[in-house]
């Protein structure tokens, strides 16, 4: 559920970010709920409406990376520095993290955390009154915070008693499981101890939790020599907290071959590698991209998940495509239940609600397996965002023609909340 700045040459970019809330009914609830948001998207019985409301605010620069809805509040994180309420000209200097009312779209000017770098990950804390944030920052409210912090959901103030060890590179994604906060990113060490790309901290104190130690290794390298350090780009945890799916730049997990995508079993004792495996992400896509998985999301019932990729169009691969995989029995050789191709355009984010798989990115089409930077036979125009329901592609909220990348980031009944790098 992320918008990333990377794309192969020729992909279009936009400089201004926006947030859209597509609702069939108004969302009701207290400003600060007594319980955190769901770990997975809520199950919808239908695809959300196609006409977004008109009162959503705008981020005037940078990119929206993450959106989290908690009760009647929506938190928007990214690299932006200025925002503006809909219908107003006044610019508000509220960098990288803002809160808004899910019913009216109004920006909450009392929520003002000061974060000195990109915010890429959000999770609701179990008390329902605070948030975990992750990213590339090193301070929060002027105090050292090494890429992970816990803040008050009403004011943005630091929560006392939560201090994490130093992570030596950015955090890309987080999930709360019991009293563990599972963290994925580009870091190689946590508190000076090797924990490449995947780790956990105590959700109450922030102390390192050694129970998640899966030894990700084997950074990929393309035929042109392009490579990058081991990292986790995206992860998700099933609603029952027993399965972890993660995607990124790695070739082995716990000493066993796993190409860019792996499943782990979670228990009170920690994390262990599952026997579930696929080799469909072993092939290379674009020569400039050692890894090309960009998003993963587990279904509300926990029986399957969806993955989206970048990488350009290469026949016989899952490059520039969304794919569904069943968990089923924990064996190797897994094949996707279906794959939906863009015809050469990047997909960056995915949200599964049961009724549909929402995908966002720089795509112009879906249902386009024969397209090569063009609309092939049967291609369906879905610029920026689309829904893949059963059994066909349908337009999704905010899909008035545009070429920017959209990120469906929160799906709570009866809404879908989306963020973008769009100009309109």
């Amino acid at each position: 559920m992320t918008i990333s700045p990377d794309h192969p040459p020729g992909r279009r970019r936009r400089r201004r970010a926006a947030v859209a809330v597509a609702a069939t009914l108004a969302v009701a609830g207290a400003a600060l709920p007594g319980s955190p948001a769901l770990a997975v998207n809520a199950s919808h019985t239908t695809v959300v409406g196609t006409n977004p409301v008109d009162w959503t605010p705008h981020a005037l620069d940078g990119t929206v990376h993450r959106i989290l809805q908690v009760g009647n509040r929506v938190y928007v994180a990214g690299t932006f520095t200025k925002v503006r309420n809909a219908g107003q000209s006044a610019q508000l200097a509220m960098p990288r993290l803002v809160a808004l009312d899910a019913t009216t779209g109004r920006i909450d000017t009392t929520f003002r955390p000061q974060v000195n770098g990109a915010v890429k990950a959000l999770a609701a804390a179990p008390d329902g009154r605070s948030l975990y944030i992750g990213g590339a920052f090193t301070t929060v409210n002027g105090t050292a915070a090494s890429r992970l912090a816990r803040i008050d959901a009403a004011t943005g103030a630091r929560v006392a008693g939560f201090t994490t060890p130093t992570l030596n590179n950015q955090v890309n994604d987080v999930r709360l499981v019991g009293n563990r906060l599972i963290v994925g990113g580009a870091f190689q060490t946590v508190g000076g101890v090797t924990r490449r790309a995947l780790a956990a901290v105590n959700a109450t104190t922030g102390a390192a939790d050694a129970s998640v130690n899966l030894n990700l290794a084997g950074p990929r390298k393309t035929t042109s020599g392009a490579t990058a350090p081991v990292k986790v780009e995206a992860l998700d945890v099933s609603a029952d907290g027993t399965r972890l799916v993660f995607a990124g730049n790695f070739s082995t997990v716990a000493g066993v071959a796993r190409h860019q995508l792996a499943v782990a079993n979670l228990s009170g004792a920690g994390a262990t590698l599952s026997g579930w495996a696929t080799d469909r992400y072993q092939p290379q896509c674009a020569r400039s991209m050692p890894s090309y998985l960009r998003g993963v999301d587990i279904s509300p019932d926990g029986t399957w998940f969806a993955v989206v990729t970048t990488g350009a169009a290469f026949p016989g691969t899952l490059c520039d495509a969304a794919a569904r995989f069943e968990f089923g029995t924990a064996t190797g050789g897994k094949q996707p239940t279906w794959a939906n191709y863009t015809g050469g355009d990047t997909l960056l984010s995915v949200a599964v609600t049961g009724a549909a798989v929402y995908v966002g990115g720089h795509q112009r089409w879906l249902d386009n397996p024969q397209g090569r930077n063009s609309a092939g036979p049967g291609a369906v125009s879905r610029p920026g965002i689309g829904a893949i329901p059963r059994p066909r592609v349908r337009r999704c909220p905010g899909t008035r023609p545009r070429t920017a990348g959209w990120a469906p980031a929160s799906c709570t009944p009866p809404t879908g909340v989306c963020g973008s790098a769009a100009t309109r």
Side-chain angles (χ1 to χ4, degrees), residues 6 19 29 63 76 92 134 150 248 260 268-269 291-292 306 311 321:
D6 60 271
V19 178
T63 297
V76 183
L92 305 174
R150 184 175 179 177
Q260 300 192 82
S291 60
Y292 50 88

Side-chain angles (χ1 to χ4, degrees), residues 148-164:
L148 193 62
R150 184 175 179 177
I151 62 173
D152 186 277
T155 66
R158 294 281 296 274
V159 172
F162 185 86
T163 304
T164 65

Side-chain angles (χ1 to χ4, degrees), residues 88-101:
Q88 296 187 359
S89 60
Q91 297 183 10
L92 305 174
M94 301 182 70
R96 305 177 185 95
L97 184 59
V98 298
L100 57 109
D101 187 290

Side-chain angles (χ1 to χ4, degrees), residues 1-3 17-22 37-38 41 56-57 63-70 73-78 80 96-100 102 119-124 131-132 172-175 349 351 385 405-412 415-421:
M1 307 166 195
T2 302
I3 298 176
V19 178
V21 180
L38 294 172
N41 294 311
T56 51
T63 297
V64 171
H65 282 299
R66 194 73 55 172
I67 301 174
L68 174 70
Q69 183 170 349
V70 184
R73 271 196 170 190
V74 176
Y75 298 88
V76 183
F80 54 85
R96 305 177 185 95
L97 184 59
V98 298
L100 57 109
V119 179
K120 301 199 71 176
L122 297 173
L131 303 174
Y132 301 103
N172 291 330
D173 215 347
V174 296
R175 291 293 185 279
S349 57
I385 186 170
W406 281 78
S410 178
C411 290
T412 54
T415 69
V417 184
C418 309
S420 85

